[in-house]
Amino acid sequence: MTFDMDGHATAGRDRWGDLPVAARIDSVEGQALLERGWTATVAEFERNLEKIRESICEYSTEDVMRDRNLVRHACYTLGAYQGPSLYLYDRHGDGIRDPEHLERVLDASELWIVPADVHY
C-alpha cells in the first residue's frame, strides 16, 4: 500500500501517519524517511542480536531447538534478507541489511525514497 491510499485502518497512512508518496532522497522529507527506516532497521537488528546473545549463554541446546523465548525466531530474523525486520530496500527489492549496502545505494544518482506498507 502506498501513502496516497486512504481507508485502511491497519496500513498505510492510517497506521504510520501522513508520509509523502515519494520524495527525492536529497530532500528534507527524503532524508527524514531514510533516517526513520535505517533507525528502525538497526533497532530491530540490535533487539534480535541481544536476545540471541542472552539466550545462547542461558539456554540449553534443547531450549534453543524448542524456540524458548523465541530465540530461534530471533536467529531467523537476524539473518533475514527481506521481511518485517528490514525497513529499507534497494531498487531491485533487496533488503538493505548493512551500512555498506546502504552506502552503495546512496552513491547512485537521482534517488527517490518511496514509503510503502507491505504485509507478508
Side-chain angles (χ1 to χ4, degrees):
M1 169 168 285
T2 58
F3 283 78
D4 56 352
M5 303 170 86
D6 290 318
H8 301 277
T10 60
R13 210 180 271 163
D14 296 330
R15 180 177 182 195
W16 299 103
D18 193 24
L19 298 176
V21 174
R24 286 186 54 97
I25 200 73
D26 57 359
S27 71
V28 172
E29 288 178 321
Q31 286 295 299
L33 287 170
L34 178 63
E35 179 67 25
R36 184 175 176 175
W38 186 244
T39 298
T41 296
V42 171
E44 187 69 11
F45 182 87
E46 289 173 343
R47 185 181 70 77
N48 283 296
L49 184 58
E50 186 60 29
K51 179 178 270 192
I52 293 165
R53 284 180 173 153
E54 290 173 359
S55 299
I56 293 299
C57 293
E58 181 180 337
Y59 297 155
S60 68
T61 300
E62 291 79 19
D63 288 336
V64 174
M65 288 178 78
R66 281 191 230 105
D67 200 15
R68 182 174 175 192
N69 196 27
L70 297 176
V71 64
R72 258 182 114 156
H73 179 71
C75 292
Y76 171 81
T77 302
L78 192 68
Y81 285 82
Q82 62 184 2
S85 65
L86 296 171
Y87 291 79
L88 298 173
Y89 289 79
D90 63 20
R91 67 183 182 161
H92 304 290
D94 296 326
I96 299 175
R97 297 170 18 113
D98 61 70
E100 290 79 20
H101 186 179
L102 179 59
E103 286 303 316
R104 285 192 307 274
V105 169
L106 293 176
D107 285 342
S109 62
E110 296 193 35
L111 290 176
W112 289 78
I113 189 163
V114 180
D117 191 354
V118 179
H119 297 258
Y120 290 82

PDB file of all heavy atoms in Angstrom, residues 80-106:
ATOM      1  N   ALA A  80      17.638 -12.547   8.156  1.00  0.00           N
ATOM      2  CA  ALA A  80      16.682 -12.331   7.060  1.00  0.00           C
ATOM      3  C   ALA A  80      17.225 -11.380   5.994  1.00  0.00           C
ATOM      4  O   ALA A  80      17.939 -10.430   6.291  1.00  0.00           O
ATOM      5  CB  ALA A  80      15.371 -11.790   7.618  1.00  0.00           C
ATOM      6  N   TYR A  81      16.855 -11.650   4.757  1.00  0.00           N
ATOM      7  CA  TYR A  81      17.198 -10.787   3.638  1.00  0.00           C
ATOM      8  C   TYR A  81      16.012  -9.936   3.203  1.00  0.00           C
ATOM      9  O   TYR A  81      16.142  -9.038   2.382  1.00  0.00           O
ATOM     10  CB  TYR A  81      17.690 -11.622   2.452  1.00  0.00           C
ATOM     11  CG  TYR A  81      19.085 -12.137   2.663  1.00  0.00           C
ATOM     12  CD1 TYR A  81      19.318 -13.288   3.410  1.00  0.00           C
ATOM     13  CD2 TYR A  81      20.166 -11.452   2.151  1.00  0.00           C
ATOM     14  CE1 TYR A  81      20.606 -13.755   3.617  1.00  0.00           C
ATOM     15  CE2 TYR A  81      21.458 -11.910   2.348  1.00  0.00           C
ATOM     16  CZ  TYR A  81      21.669 -13.061   3.087  1.00  0.00           C
ATOM     17  OH  TYR A  81      22.951 -13.508   3.299  1.00  0.00           O
ATOM     18  N   GLN A  82      14.852 -10.259   3.735  1.00  0.00           N
ATOM     19  CA  GLN A  82      13.641  -9.484   3.469  1.00  0.00           C
ATOM     20  C   GLN A  82      12.667  -9.748   4.597  1.00  0.00           C
ATOM     21  O   GLN A  82      12.866 -10.641   5.402  1.00  0.00           O
ATOM     22  CB  GLN A  82      13.019  -9.873   2.132  1.00  0.00           C
ATOM     23  CG  GLN A  82      12.569 -11.318   2.065  1.00  0.00           C
ATOM     24  CD  GLN A  82      12.052 -11.689   0.695  1.00  0.00           C
ATOM     25  OE1 GLN A  82      12.060 -10.879  -0.215  1.00  0.00           O
ATOM     26  NE2 GLN A  82      11.601 -12.910   0.536  1.00  0.00           N
ATOM     27  N   GLY A  83      11.645  -8.948   4.681  1.00  0.00           N
ATOM     28  CA  GLY A  83      10.628  -9.159   5.697  1.00  0.00           C
ATOM     29  C   GLY A  83      10.516  -7.997   6.657  1.00  0.00           C
ATOM     30  O   GLY A  83      11.117  -6.943   6.459  1.00  0.00           O
ATOM     31  N   PRO A  84       9.741  -8.191   7.714  1.00  0.00           N
ATOM     32  CA  PRO A  84       9.388  -7.082   8.600  1.00  0.00           C
ATOM     33  C   PRO A  84      10.530  -6.508   9.425  1.00  0.00           C
ATOM     34  O   PRO A  84      10.376  -5.442  10.010  1.00  0.00           O
ATOM     35  CB  PRO A  84       8.309  -7.688   9.501  1.00  0.00           C
ATOM     36  CG  PRO A  84       8.511  -9.150   9.431  1.00  0.00           C
ATOM     37  CD  PRO A  84       9.080  -9.430   8.079  1.00  0.00           C
ATOM     38  N   SER A  85      11.682  -7.162   9.478  1.00  0.00           N
ATOM     39  CA  SER A  85      12.802  -6.602  10.239  1.00  0.00           C
ATOM     40  C   SER A  85      13.667  -5.670   9.398  1.00  0.00           C
ATOM     41  O   SER A  85      14.572  -5.025   9.921  1.00  0.00           O
ATOM     42  CB  SER A  85      13.665  -7.723  10.820  1.00  0.00           C
ATOM     43  OG  SER A  85      14.283  -8.458   9.790  1.00  0.00           O
ATOM     44  N   LEU A  86      13.392  -5.599   8.101  1.00  0.00           N
ATOM     45  CA  LEU A  86      14.134  -4.710   7.203  1.00  0.00           C
ATOM     46  C   LEU A  86      13.194  -3.628   6.682  1.00  0.00           C
ATOM     47  O   LEU A  86      12.161  -3.931   6.098  1.00  0.00           O
ATOM     48  CB  LEU A  86      14.734  -5.507   6.034  1.00  0.00           C
ATOM     49  CG  LEU A  86      15.768  -6.545   6.453  1.00  0.00           C
ATOM     50  CD1 LEU A  86      16.129  -7.432   5.277  1.00  0.00           C
ATOM     51  CD2 LEU A  86      16.994  -5.893   7.039  1.00  0.00           C
ATOM     52  N   TYR A  87      13.571  -2.395   6.889  1.00  0.00           N
ATOM     53  CA  TYR A  87      12.699  -1.273   6.570  1.00  0.00           C
ATOM     54  C   TYR A  87      13.105  -0.542   5.294  1.00  0.00           C
ATOM     55  O   TYR A  87      12.356   0.293   4.803  1.00  0.00           O
ATOM     56  CB  TYR A  87      12.673  -0.287   7.737  1.00  0.00           C
ATOM     57  CG  TYR A  87      11.962  -0.856   8.943  1.00  0.00           C
ATOM     58  CD1 TYR A  87      12.587  -1.755   9.803  1.00  0.00           C
ATOM     59  CD2 TYR A  87      10.646  -0.510   9.201  1.00  0.00           C
ATOM     60  CE1 TYR A  87      11.922  -2.276  10.896  1.00  0.00           C
ATOM     61  CE2 TYR A  87       9.967  -1.037  10.292  1.00  0.00           C
ATOM     62  CZ  TYR A  87      10.619  -1.920  11.133  1.00  0.00           C
ATOM     63  OH  TYR A  87       9.953  -2.437  12.209  1.00  0.00           O
ATOM     64  N   LEU A  88      14.276  -0.838   4.762  1.00  0.00           N
ATOM     65  CA  LEU A  88      14.737  -0.196   3.536  1.00  0.00           C
ATOM     66  C   LEU A  88      15.113  -1.260   2.508  1.00  0.00           C
ATOM     67  O   LEU A  88      15.717  -2.281   2.849  1.00  0.00           O
ATOM     68  CB  LEU A  88      15.965   0.685   3.811  1.00  0.00           C
ATOM     69  CG  LEU A  88      15.762   1.855   4.761  1.00  0.00           C
ATOM     70  CD1 LEU A  88      17.102   2.522   5.062  1.00  0.00           C
ATOM     71  CD2 LEU A  88      14.787   2.866   4.184  1.00  0.00           C
ATOM     72  N   TYR A  89      14.760  -0.987   1.249  1.00  0.00           N
ATOM     73  CA  TYR A  89      15.052  -1.896   0.144  1.00  0.00           C
ATOM     74  C   TYR A  89      15.659  -1.108  -1.010  1.00  0.00           C
ATOM     75  O   TYR A  89      15.351   0.066  -1.199  1.00  0.00           O
ATOM     76  CB  TYR A  89      13.765  -2.598  -0.322  1.00  0.00           C
ATOM     77  CG  TYR A  89      13.273  -3.600   0.686  1.00  0.00           C
ATOM     78  CD1 TYR A  89      12.568  -3.202   1.812  1.00  0.00           C
ATOM     79  CD2 TYR A  89      13.551  -4.949   0.519  1.00  0.00           C
ATOM     80  CE1 TYR A  89      12.144  -4.121   2.751  1.00  0.00           C
ATOM     81  CE2 TYR A  89      13.125  -5.877   1.464  1.00  0.00           C
ATOM     82  CZ  TYR A  89      12.432  -5.453   2.572  1.00  0.00           C
ATOM     83  OH  TYR A  89      12.020  -6.363   3.500  1.00  0.00           O
ATOM     84  N   ASP A  90      16.501  -1.773  -1.782  1.00  0.00           N
ATOM     85  CA  ASP A  90      17.065  -1.101  -2.948  1.00  0.00           C
ATOM     86  C   ASP A  90      16.123  -1.249  -4.143  1.00  0.00           C
ATOM     87  O   ASP A  90      15.044  -1.839  -4.029  1.00  0.00           O
ATOM     88  CB  ASP A  90      18.475  -1.620  -3.254  1.00  0.00           C
ATOM     89  CG  ASP A  90      18.534  -3.085  -3.630  1.00  0.00           C
ATOM     90  OD1 ASP A  90      17.498  -3.669  -4.038  1.00  0.00           O
ATOM     91  OD2 ASP A  90      19.626  -3.673  -3.532  1.00  0.00           O
ATOM     92  N   ARG A  91      16.526  -0.719  -5.264  1.00  0.00           N
ATOM     93  CA  ARG A  91      15.641  -0.718  -6.433  1.00  0.00           C
ATOM     94  C   ARG A  91      15.389  -2.108  -7.007  1.00  0.00           C
ATOM     95  O   ARG A  91      14.516  -2.302  -7.841  1.00  0.00           O
ATOM     96  CB  ARG A  91      16.184   0.204  -7.508  1.00  0.00           C
ATOM     97  CG  ARG A  91      17.480  -0.270  -8.121  1.00  0.00           C
ATOM     98  CD  ARG A  91      17.990   0.710  -9.118  1.00  0.00           C
ATOM     99  NE  ARG A  91      19.205   0.213  -9.723  1.00  0.00           N
ATOM    100  CZ  ARG A  91      19.678   0.656 -10.842  1.00  0.00           C
ATOM    101  NH1 ARG A  91      19.054   1.607 -11.481  1.00  0.00           N
ATOM    102  NH2 ARG A  91      20.784   0.167 -11.323  1.00  0.00           N
ATOM    103  N   HIS A  92      16.158  -3.086  -6.562  1.00  0.00           N
ATOM    104  CA  HIS A  92      15.973  -4.462  -7.019  1.00  0.00           C
ATOM    105  C   HIS A  92      15.096  -5.268  -6.056  1.00  0.00           C
ATOM    106  O   HIS A  92      14.878  -6.454  -6.274  1.00  0.00           O
ATOM    107  CB  HIS A  92      17.326  -5.153  -7.176  1.00  0.00           C
ATOM    108  CG  HIS A  92      18.257  -4.437  -8.096  1.00  0.00           C
ATOM    109  ND1 HIS A  92      18.066  -4.376  -9.453  1.00  0.00           N
ATOM    110  CD2 HIS A  92      19.370  -3.704  -7.843  1.00  0.00           C
ATOM    111  CE1 HIS A  92      19.025  -3.655 -10.001  1.00  0.00           C
ATOM    112  NE2 HIS A  92      19.826  -3.238  -9.047  1.00  0.00           N
ATOM    113  N   GLY A  93      14.657  -4.632  -4.976  1.00  0.00           N
ATOM    114  CA  GLY A  93      13.835  -5.318  -3.986  1.00  0.00           C
ATOM    115  C   GLY A  93      14.641  -6.083  -2.955  1.00  0.00           C
ATOM    116  O   GLY A  93      14.089  -6.896  -2.211  1.00  0.00           O
ATOM    117  N   ASP A  94      15.948  -5.842  -2.905  1.00  0.00           N
ATOM    118  CA  ASP A  94      16.796  -6.491  -1.914  1.00  0.00           C
ATOM    119  C   ASP A  94      16.802  -5.660  -0.638  1.00  0.00           C
ATOM    120  O   ASP A  94      16.981  -4.440  -0.671  1.00  0.00           O
ATOM    121  CB  ASP A  94      18.238  -6.622  -2.425  1.00  0.00           C
ATOM    122  CG  ASP A  94      18.341  -7.523  -3.633  1.00  0.00           C
ATOM    123  OD1 ASP A  94      17.562  -8.498  -3.714  1.00  0.00           O
ATOM    124  OD2 ASP A  94      19.201  -7.265  -4.497  1.00  0.00           O
ATOM    125  N   GLY A  95      16.623  -6.317   0.506  1.00  0.00           N
ATOM    126  CA  GLY A  95      16.656  -5.627   1.781  1.00  0.00           C
ATOM    127  C   GLY A  95      18.032  -5.046   2.049  1.00  0.00           C
ATOM    128  O   GLY A  95      19.048  -5.698   1.789  1.00  0.00           O
ATOM    129  N   ILE A  96      18.076  -3.837   2.552  1.00  0.00           N
ATOM    130  CA  ILE A  96      19.347  -3.199   2.897  1.00  0.00           C
ATOM    131  C   ILE A  96      19.668  -3.608   4.325  1.00  0.00           C
ATOM    132  O   ILE A  96      19.029  -3.159   5.269  1.00  0.00           O
ATOM    133  CB  ILE A  96      19.258  -1.672   2.723  1.00  0.00           C
ATOM    134  CG1 ILE A  96      18.954  -1.345   1.256  1.00  0.00           C
ATOM    135  CG2 ILE A  96      20.561  -1.004   3.182  1.00  0.00           C
ATOM    136  CD1 ILE A  96      18.714   0.120   0.965  1.00  0.00           C
ATOM    137  N   ARG A  97      20.672  -4.487   4.470  1.00  0.00           N
ATOM    138  CA  ARG A  97      20.967  -5.140   5.743  1.00  0.00           C
ATOM    139  C   ARG A  97      22.164  -4.580   6.485  1.00  0.00           C
ATOM    140  O   ARG A  97      22.362  -4.880   7.651  1.00  0.00           O
ATOM    141  CB  ARG A  97      21.235  -6.628   5.498  1.00  0.00           C
ATOM    142  CG  ARG A  97      20.068  -7.375   4.943  1.00  0.00           C
ATOM    143  CD  ARG A  97      20.407  -8.793   4.484  1.00  0.00           C
ATOM    144  NE  ARG A  97      21.616  -9.382   4.969  1.00  0.00           N
ATOM    145  CZ  ARG A  97      21.673 -10.420   5.791  1.00  0.00           C
ATOM    146  NH1 ARG A  97      20.578 -10.986   6.212  1.00  0.00           N
ATOM    147  NH2 ARG A  97      22.831 -10.901   6.173  1.00  0.00           N
ATOM    148  N   ASP A  98      23.013  -3.797   5.825  1.00  0.00           N
ATOM    149  CA  ASP A  98      24.213  -3.321   6.498  1.00  0.00           C
ATOM    150  C   ASP A  98      24.618  -1.945   5.953  1.00  0.00           C
ATOM    151  O   ASP A  98      24.157  -1.538   4.887  1.00  0.00           O
ATOM    152  CB  ASP A  98      25.353  -4.337   6.338  1.00  0.00           C
ATOM    153  CG  ASP A  98      25.715  -4.567   4.887  1.00  0.00           C
ATOM    154  OD1 ASP A  98      26.290  -3.652   4.256  1.00  0.00           O
ATOM    155  OD2 ASP A  98      25.421  -5.663   4.368  1.00  0.00           O
ATOM    156  N   PRO A  99      25.465  -1.228   6.685  1.00  0.00           N
ATOM    157  CA  PRO A  99      25.839   0.132   6.278  1.00  0.00           C
ATOM    158  C   PRO A  99      26.509   0.212   4.903  1.00  0.00           C
ATOM    159  O   PRO A  99      26.296   1.178   4.167  1.00  0.00           O
ATOM    160  CB  PRO A  99      26.806   0.590   7.376  1.00  0.00           C
ATOM    161  CG  PRO A  99      26.496  -0.256   8.552  1.00  0.00           C
ATOM    162  CD  PRO A  99      26.018  -1.573   8.001  1.00  0.00           C
ATOM    163  N   GLU A 100      27.291  -0.797   4.541  1.00  0.00           N
ATOM    164  CA  GLU A 100      27.959  -0.772   3.237  1.00  0.00           C
ATOM    165  C   GLU A 100      26.950  -0.848   2.092  1.00  0.00           C
ATOM    166  O   GLU A 100      27.085  -0.156   1.090  1.00  0.00           O
ATOM    167  CB  GLU A 100      28.994  -1.901   3.128  1.00  0.00           C
ATOM    168  CG  GLU A 100      30.204  -1.709   4.007  1.00  0.00           C
ATOM    169  CD  GLU A 100      29.955  -2.072   5.469  1.00  0.00           C
ATOM    170  OE1 GLU A 100      28.990  -2.819   5.773  1.00  0.00           O
ATOM    171  OE2 GLU A 100      30.722  -1.592   6.324  1.00  0.00           O
ATOM    172  N   HIS A 101      25.942  -1.696   2.252  1.00  0.00           N
ATOM    173  CA  HIS A 101      24.896  -1.796   1.236  1.00  0.00           C
ATOM    174  C   HIS A 101      24.162  -0.458   1.128  1.00  0.00           C
ATOM    175  O   HIS A 101      23.908   0.035   0.034  1.00  0.00           O
ATOM    176  CB  HIS A 101      23.937  -2.928   1.580  1.00  0.00           C
ATOM    177  CG  HIS A 101      22.921  -3.203   0.520  1.00  0.00           C
ATOM    178  ND1 HIS A 101      21.998  -4.199   0.643  1.00  0.00           N
ATOM    179  CD2 HIS A 101      22.637  -2.627  -0.673  1.00  0.00           C
ATOM    180  CE1 HIS A 101      21.214  -4.228  -0.428  1.00  0.00           C
ATOM    181  NE2 HIS A 101      21.581  -3.269  -1.232  1.00  0.00           N
ATOM    182  N   LEU A 102      23.854   0.140   2.261  1.00  0.00           N
ATOM    183  CA  LEU A 102      23.188   1.443   2.255  1.00  0.00           C
ATOM    184  C   LEU A 102      24.038   2.478   1.536  1.00  0.00           C
ATOM    185  O   LEU A 102      23.526   3.245   0.703  1.00  0.00           O
ATOM    186  CB  LEU A 102      22.888   1.896   3.686  1.00  0.00           C
ATOM    187  CG  LEU A 102      22.202   3.251   3.821  1.00  0.00           C
ATOM    188  CD1 LEU A 102      20.861   3.281   3.098  1.00  0.00           C
ATOM    189  CD2 LEU A 102      22.029   3.610   5.302  1.00  0.00           C
ATOM    190  N   GLU A 103      25.334   2.508   1.800  1.00  0.00           N
ATOM    191  CA  GLU A 103      26.222   3.474   1.138  1.00  0.00           C
ATOM    192  C   GLU A 103      26.272   3.249  -0.372  1.00  0.00           C
ATOM    193  O   GLU A 103      26.270   4.204  -1.144  1.00  0.00           O
ATOM    194  CB  GLU A 103      27.631   3.417   1.736  1.00  0.00           C
ATOM    195  CG  GLU A 103      27.734   4.049   3.102  1.00  0.00           C
ATOM    196  CD  GLU A 103      27.286   5.508   3.127  1.00  0.00           C
ATOM    197  OE1 GLU A 103      27.646   6.279   2.216  1.00  0.00           O
ATOM    198  OE2 GLU A 103      26.542   5.864   4.053  1.00  0.00           O
ATOM    199  N   ARG A 104      26.321   1.983  -0.792  1.00  0.00           N
ATOM    200  CA  ARG A 104      26.322   1.689  -2.237  1.00  0.00           C
ATOM    201  C   ARG A 104      25.041   2.205  -2.890  1.00  0.00           C
ATOM    202  O   ARG A 104      25.077   2.779  -3.973  1.00  0.00           O
ATOM    203  CB  ARG A 104      26.476   0.189  -2.490  1.00  0.00           C
ATOM    204  CG  ARG A 104      27.872  -0.330  -2.274  1.00  0.00           C
ATOM    205  CD  ARG A 104      28.052  -1.742  -2.799  1.00  0.00           C
ATOM    206  NE  ARG A 104      27.076  -2.704  -2.316  1.00  0.00           N
ATOM    207  CZ  ARG A 104      27.175  -3.384  -1.170  1.00  0.00           C
ATOM    208  NH1 ARG A 104      28.213  -3.217  -0.378  1.00  0.00           N
ATOM    209  NH2 ARG A 104      26.244  -4.249  -0.824  1.00  0.00           N
ATOM    210  N   VAL A 105      23.925   2.015  -2.222  1.00  0.00           N
ATOM    211  CA  VAL A 105      22.650   2.502  -2.756  1.00  0.00           C
ATOM    212  C   VAL A 105      22.661   4.024  -2.824  1.00  0.00           C
ATOM    213  O   VAL A 105      22.245   4.626  -3.818  1.00  0.00           O
ATOM    214  CB  VAL A 105      21.468   1.993  -1.894  1.00  0.00           C
ATOM    215  CG1 VAL A 105      20.181   2.704  -2.260  1.00  0.00           C
ATOM    216  CG2 VAL A 105      21.313   0.495  -2.052  1.00  0.00           C
ATOM    217  N   LEU A 106      23.138   4.664  -1.776  1.00  0.00           N
ATOM    218  CA  LEU A 106      23.129   6.130  -1.726  1.00  0.00           C
ATOM    219  C   LEU A 106      24.109   6.770  -2.709  1.00  0.00           C
ATOM    220  O   LEU A 106      23.965   7.940  -3.041  1.00  0.00           O
ATOM    221  CB  LEU A 106      23.422   6.610  -0.301  1.00  0.00           C
ATOM    222  CG  LEU A 106      22.342   6.269   0.720  1.00  0.00           C
ATOM    223  CD1 LEU A 106      22.786   6.692   2.115  1.00  0.00           C
ATOM    224  CD2 LEU A 106      21.007   6.907   0.348  1.00  0.00           C
TER     225      LEU A 106
END
